[in-house]
Amino acid sequence: MNGTGPTSQTFISQRLRLNYEDWGSGGRGDKPTLVLVHGGRDHARSWDWTAEALAGDYRVVAMDHRGHGDSDWVSDGNYSAGDMVYDLAQLIHQLGTGPVAIVSHSMGGNVALRYAGTFPEMVTKLVAIEGLGPSPEWRDKQRATPYPERLAEWIEKKRKAAGRIPRRYDSIEAAFARMIEENSYLTEEQARHLTIHGVNRNEDGTYSWKFDPHLNVWGIEDVADEFLEQTWAAIKCPTLLLYGADSWASNPEKDGRIRHFNTARVFEFEQAGHWLHHDQFDRFIDTVRDFLKD
């Protein structure tokens, strides 16, 4: 990492104080705005390499979702995609700039795609890394279990999450080792950076991840499939859907979901998993830079 880094700012969304990192040198209006939207149990500083590479051409803003990073946790422990879309809409509204370009990952990609379909005039270009959510095959498998059984299981998981104490690590090194274990593609430099910005220090001197433990339990159903597909179809801006060849995520060109998009194309990265923007950073940033300028 080079340069001076971003400034931390806050905005209010549904009574929550949410954090974002601004690489825009005081928010000058002489550059177009690029919004970076991280994935689940991640944080805004996960985008630092991307932000640094693109800050010369854009005012780069990276948000912390509710329950993540330095943003507030919700009081009831329930996180919905709809609320997160509202947060993204509120951030862009309060920035007072637009339309904007968006680069997003995983859960953040899911949110960004919904925002772009809901406010198509507000997005000029959209990159979503593995952001379409569960594959049709996975959904069918889950729905083979009757809804009442899945609801009962969800209630039990939420009850356990309510009593869960965030895991504590004796040192930064211990948390760093867990980060490496989670993603073997990361370099030590990447893993250490993500760890330092991803933990809080507890009163007893130990360290815990910043994200809300309730984020380990997602709702059993979201909006109906047809409504999500309508939202994808409403996206008007050029859209790039990126996938890692070694990821668990399902490629929409192979599972048929690409048919719901009118302006999207898919690009797959070899030797990359779910966090392909870390796994193959140089290829990723070249692809994104060319796409944004095209």
Side-chain angles (χ1 to χ4, degrees):
M1 295 298 300
N2 300 309
T4 58
T7 58
S8 296
Q9 307 288 343
T10 60
F11 69 105
I12 304 300
S13 182
Q14 294 180 321
R15 298 184 178 179
L16 296 179
R17 185 175 296 277
L18 305 183
N19 179 72
Y20 68 94
E21 304 297 328
D22 192 338
W23 295 73
S25 302
R28 297 177 315 188
D30 57 345
K31 297 178 182 178
T33 300
L34 171 65
V35 179
L36 306 178
V37 190
H38 70 76
R41 297 181 296 177
D42 207 343
H43 52 83
R45 299 303 299 269
S46 180
W47 290 114
D48 279 2
W49 296 276
T50 299
E52 187 175 68
L54 299 175
D57 297 317
Y58 301 90
R59 176 193 178 185
V60 180
V61 173
M63 67 179 291
D64 274 325
H65 285 292
R66 56 177 59 203
H68 295 76
D70 295 319
S71 289
D72 285 349
W73 295 6
V74 300
S75 60
D76 63 0
N78 290 311
Y79 294 88
S80 74
D83 287 329
M84 291 183 174
V85 174
Y86 182 94
D87 295 339
L88 178 57
Q90 187 70 354
L91 170 64
I92 294 172
H93 174 72
Q94 292 201 15
L95 288 174
T97 60
V100 302
I102 299 176
V103 176
S104 54
H105 174 234
S106 193
M107 180 194 76
N110 197 316
V111 170
L113 288 163
R114 297 184 195 208
Y115 175 82
T118 305
F119 300 101
E121 73 285 353
M122 289 298 296
V123 186
T124 58
K125 296 282 184 73
L126 173 59
V127 178
I129 305 168
E130 304 200 350
L132 270 63
S135 69
E137 181 181 3
W138 187 93
R139 290 200 310 264
D140 291 344
K141 182 178 179 180
Q142 292 298 110
R143 290 169 182 171
T145 300
Y147 181 83
E149 293 182 27
R150 288 187 287 143
L151 180 58
E153 181 182 8
W154 176 82
I155 290 173
E156 182 61 25
K157 288 180 178 179
K158 288 292 289 184
R159 186 175 292 132
K160 290 180 179 179
R164 178 184 175 188
I165 299 174
R167 181 174 179 180
R168 297 184 175 223
Y169 297 88
D170 291 335
S171 65
I172 284 284
E173 290 302 316
F176 162 75
R178 179 70 182 100
M179 179 68 72
I180 286 285
E181 180 184 342
E182 181 71 15
N183 186 358
S184 60
Y185 278 109
L186 291 175
T187 66
E188 288 195 5
E189 177 190 2
Q190 288 173 322
R192 193 170 299 280
H193 182 86
L194 295 172
T195 301
I196 289 171
H197 291 289
V199 295
N200 283 322
R201 195 165 197 185
N202 301 307
E203 188 173 357
D204 65 357
T206 61
Y207 297 85
S208 295
W209 301 114
K210 291 180 177 180
F211 64 82
D212 186 345
H214 275 276
L215 287 160
N216 289 302
V217 184
W218 289 97
I220 49 178
E221 288 288 347
D222 191 11
V223 298
D225 296 347
E226 62 182 292
F227 298 148
L228 190 55
E229 292 161 5
Q230 288 172 10
T231 307
W232 293 340
I235 298 172
K236 295 181 179 178
C237 67
T239 301
L240 191 60
L241 305 177
L242 303 183
Y243 281 80
D246 300 330
S247 175
W248 51 263
S250 177
N251 187 315
E253 280 190 327
K254 299 174 183 177
D255 65 33
R257 288 179 293 173
I258 191 64
R259 70 179 183 275
H260 302 297
F261 291 84
N262 295 313
T263 60
R265 55 191 175 95
V266 179
F267 188 84
E268 188 172 88
F269 285 72
E270 296 295 329
Q271 297 183 322
H274 185 56
W275 286 269
L276 64 86
H277 52 309
H278 297 324
D279 302 344
Q280 293 290 339
F281 175 75
D282 290 339
R283 289 166 55 198
F284 163 75
I285 204 66
D286 287 344
T287 300
V288 169
R289 185 182 284 114
D290 289 345
F291 173 72
L292 293 177
K293 289 183 177 181
D294 187 12

Coordinates of all heavy atoms in Angstrom, one line a residue, residues 178-187 190-191 194 273-276 278-279:
R178 N -6.0 -17.1 11.3 CA -7.4 -17.5 10.9 C -7.8 -16.9 9.6 O -8.4 -17.6 8.7 CB -8.4 -17.0 12.0 CG -9.9 -17.4 11.6 CD -10.1 -18.9 11.7 NE -11.5 -19.2 11.4 CZ -11.8 -19.7 10.2 NH1 -10.9 -19.9 9.3 NH2 -13.1 -20.0 9.9
M179 N -7.3 -15.7 9.3 CA -7.6 -15.1 8.0 C -6.9 -15.9 6.8 O -7.5 -16.2 5.8 CB -7.1 -13.7 8.0 CG -7.2 -12.9 6.6 SD -9.0 -12.6 6.2 CE -9.3 -11.3 7.4
I180 N -5.7 -16.3 7.1 CA -5.0 -17.1 6.1 C -5.7 -18.5 5.9 O -5.8 -19.0 4.8 CB -3.5 -17.4 6.5 CG1 -2.7 -16.1 6.3 CG2 -2.9 -18.5 5.8 CD1 -2.3 -15.8 4.9
E181 N -6.1 -19.1 7.0 CA -6.8 -20.4 6.9 C -8.1 -20.2 6.1 O -8.5 -21.2 5.3 CB -7.2 -20.8 8.3 CG -7.9 -22.2 8.4 CD -8.3 -22.5 9.8 OE1 -7.7 -21.9 10.8 OE2 -9.1 -23.4 10.0
E182 N -8.8 -19.1 6.2 CA -10.0 -18.9 5.5 C -9.8 -18.8 4.0 O -10.7 -19.2 3.2 CB -10.7 -17.7 6.0 CG -12.1 -17.3 5.4 CD -13.2 -18.3 5.8 OE1 -13.0 -19.1 6.7 OE2 -14.2 -18.3 5.1
N183 N -8.7 -18.2 3.5 CA -8.5 -18.0 2.1 C -7.0 -18.2 1.8 O -6.2 -17.3 2.0 CB -8.9 -16.6 1.7 CG -8.8 -16.4 0.2 OD1 -8.4 -17.3 -0.6 ND2 -9.2 -15.2 -0.3
S184 N -6.7 -19.3 1.4 CA -5.3 -19.7 1.1 C -4.7 -18.9 -0.1 O -3.4 -18.9 -0.2 CB -5.1 -21.2 0.9 OG -5.9 -21.6 -0.3
Y185 N -5.5 -18.3 -0.9 CA -4.9 -17.5 -2.0 C -4.3 -16.2 -1.5 O -3.5 -15.6 -2.3 CB -6.1 -17.2 -3.0 CG -6.4 -18.3 -4.0 CD1 -7.6 -19.0 -3.9 CD2 -5.6 -18.6 -5.0 CE1 -7.9 -20.0 -4.7 CE2 -5.9 -19.6 -5.9 CZ -7.1 -20.3 -5.8 OH -7.4 -21.3 -6.6
L186 N -4.7 -15.7 -0.4 CA -4.2 -14.4 0.1 C -2.7 -14.5 0.3 O -2.1 -15.4 0.8 CB -4.9 -14.0 1.4 CG -6.3 -13.6 1.4 CD1 -6.9 -13.4 2.8 CD2 -6.6 -12.4 0.5
T187 N -2.0 -13.4 0.0 CA -0.6 -13.2 0.4 C -0.6 -12.8 1.9 O -1.6 -12.4 2.4 CB 0.1 -12.1 -0.4 OG1 -0.5 -10.8 -0.1 CG2 0.0 -12.4 -1.9
Q190 N -1.6 -9.2 2.2 CA -3.0 -9.0 2.1 C -3.8 -9.4 3.4 O -4.6 -8.7 3.9 CB -3.6 -9.7 0.9 CG -3.2 -9.2 -0.4 CD -3.7 -10.1 -1.6 OE1 -3.6 -11.4 -1.4 NE2 -4.2 -9.6 -2.7
A191 N -3.4 -10.6 3.9 CA -4.1 -11.1 5.0 C -3.9 -10.3 6.3 O -4.8 -10.0 7.1 CB -3.6 -12.6 5.3
L194 N -6.0 -7.0 5.9 CA -7.4 -7.3 6.1 C -7.7 -7.6 7.6 O -8.7 -7.2 8.1 CB -7.9 -8.5 5.3 CG -7.8 -8.3 3.8 CD1 -8.1 -9.6 3.1 CD2 -8.8 -7.2 3.4
G273 N -10.6 -17.8 -6.4 CA -11.8 -18.2 -5.7 C -12.8 -17.1 -5.6 O -12.9 -16.2 -6.4
H274 N -13.6 -17.2 -4.5 CA -14.7 -16.2 -4.3 C -14.2 -14.8 -4.1 O -14.8 -13.9 -4.5 CB -15.4 -16.6 -3.0 CG -16.7 -15.8 -2.8 ND1 -17.7 -15.7 -3.7 CD2 -17.0 -15.1 -1.7 CE1 -18.6 -14.9 -3.2 NE2 -18.3 -14.5 -2.0
W275 N -13.0 -14.6 -3.6 CA -12.4 -13.2 -3.4 C -11.4 -13.0 -4.6 O -10.2 -12.7 -4.3 CB -11.7 -13.1 -2.1 CG -12.6 -13.0 -0.9 CD1 -13.2 -11.9 -0.4 CD2 -13.2 -14.1 -0.2 NE1 -14.0 -12.2 0.7 CE2 -14.0 -13.5 0.8 CE3 -13.1 -15.5 -0.2 CZ2 -14.7 -14.3 1.8 CZ3 -13.8 -16.3 0.7 CH2 -14.6 -15.7 1.7
L276 N -11.9 -13.1 -5.8 CA -11.0 -13.0 -6.9 C -10.3 -11.6 -7.0 O -9.2 -11.5 -7.6 CB -11.7 -13.3 -8.2 CG -12.8 -12.4 -8.7 CD1 -12.3 -11.2 -9.5 CD2 -13.9 -13.1 -9.5
H278 N -8.9 -10.2 -4.7 CA -7.6 -10.4 -3.9 C -6.7 -11.4 -4.6 O -5.5 -11.3 -4.7 CB -7.9 -10.8 -2.5 CG -8.7 -9.8 -1.7 ND1 -8.5 -8.5 -1.8 CD2 -9.6 -10.0 -0.7 CE1 -9.3 -7.8 -1.0 NE2 -10.0 -8.7 -0.3
D279 N -7.4 -12.5 -5.0 CA -6.7 -13.7 -5.5 C -5.9 -13.4 -6.8 O -4.8 -13.9 -7.0 CB -7.6 -14.8 -5.8 CG -8.4 -15.2 -4.6 OD1 -8.0 -14.9 -3.5 OD2 -9.4 -15.9 -4.7

